[in-house]
Amino acid sequence: MSTPGLLLEHHDAANAPKMLDLMVPVYAASHADIIAADPFFHPDKFRERFDSHIQGAGFELVTGTLDGQLIGYAYGCRRVADRASAIWDKIRANLPGFPTPAEPEPIFIFMEFAVDPGMQGQGHGHAIHNALLAGRREPIANLFVRPENPARNKYMRWGWQQLAREKGPFDDAPIFDSLIKSLS
Ligand SMILES: CC(C)(COP(=O)(O)OP(=O)(O)OC[C@H]1O[C@@H](n2cnc3c(N)ncnc32)[C@H](O)[C@@H]1OP(=O)(O)O)[C@@H](O)C(=O)NCCC(=O)NCCS
């Protein structure tokens, strides 16, 4: 799935930092409400987390550009097998019907995702989301979304399902819904 005129580009950890200054305004505009409410979401924190995230295994960023303007992005990285085992255990406990491997396999962590507010609701986000997940070789993906975030409904329509409601993976993180999606 793509949308007319949208240029989708993949960036690895070496190239992604060059995109950060273009991503931050999209982040700030698309998260304006929550930035005002919770310091965890301040754009400087986004930059700090990005610097840490790009060091993750298999880091990948997809940007969406329309008429020369970056209008959206999504990125994530791999949780390697031994560090992924807690997630597999949670899947076994909470979603007994979900297929799980005999030995823990890596999991793709879908970390950040945004589209400029003026460009939302036109399919660009879905195209960026799909472009990032399409080439991944991990069997499943995992993400955190605030329970009240309207994006949660999109994820549910795009094949994600709820695994748990829990505190995010940083000391100052709020409560998130943890969602998973099969990539096979
Ligand atoms: C979440 C977010 C990235 C989604 O981006 P988006 O560009 O608005 O998403 P899309 O437009 O692809 O959503 C698709 C919906 O748009 C609508 N749509 C309108 N025109 C469309 C078109 N031509 N093609 C496809 N979908 C279209 C459909 O209702 C579609 O719903 P569906 O995919 O469930 O069928 C965006 O809302 C955002 O930046 N939110 C704030 C930041 C945020 O919360 N990020 C997530 C953190 S976990």
Side-chain angles (χ1 to χ4, degrees):
M1 177 206 173
S2 190
T3 43
L6 185 68
L7 174 66
L8 295 165
E9 292 177 294
H10 295 252
H11 312 266
D12 62 14
N15 288 311
K18 295 177 201 142
M19 307 308 296
L20 184 59
D21 284 343
L22 299 173
M23 293 160 59
V24 169
V26 174
Y27 170 83
S30 60
H31 290 73
D33 55 344
I34 192 72
I35 288 170
D38 184 342
F40 177 83
F41 292 97
H42 190 280
D44 290 347
K45 292 283 194 175
F46 174 79
R47 284 181 180 275
E48 277 174 29
R49 286 193 287 271
F50 178 85
D51 288 344
S52 148
H53 288 155
I54 56 167
Q55 296 176 38
F59 176 92
E60 185 177 356
L61 163 71
V62 170
T63 52
T65 302
L66 203 57
D67 299 329
Q69 185 94 14
L70 189 144
I71 60 111
Y73 61 82
Y75 75 73
C77 69
R78 179 182 313 126
R79 171 93 26 106
V80 292
D82 55 340
R83 291 190 56 228
S85 58
I87 301 174
W88 288 114
D89 288 346
K90 205 172 293 173
I91 293 171
R92 270 182 220 101
N94 295 4
L95 300 172
F98 196 97
T100 56
E103 296 295 327
E105 290 188 14
I107 292 174
F108 183 65
I109 310 295
F110 187 90
M111 290 173 154
E112 292 284 351
F113 178 37
V115 168
D116 186 83
M119 304 305 298
Q120 291 176 10
Q122 302 172 41
H124 299 314
H126 203 175
I128 292 167
H129 163 277
N130 287 357
L132 179 57
L133 295 183
R136 298 304 310 188
R137 284 181 293 172
E138 298 84 0
I140 65 166
N142 177 222
L143 67 77
F144 285 112
V145 60
R146 283 171 287 124
E148 70 283 6
N149 187 340
R152 187 182 180 287
N153 292 334
K154 292 195 194 237
Y155 290 133
M156 299 313 262
R157 289 199 298 277
W158 299 347
W160 295 80
Q161 61 183 292
Q162 176 130 0
L163 174 62
R165 180 162 293 182
E166 61 194 26
K167 189 170 153 53
F170 287 89
D171 288 345
D172 53 348
I175 298 294
F176 286 105
D177 280 346
S178 171
L179 309 186
I180 58 164
K181 177 176 167 56
S182 172
L183 301 182
S184 53

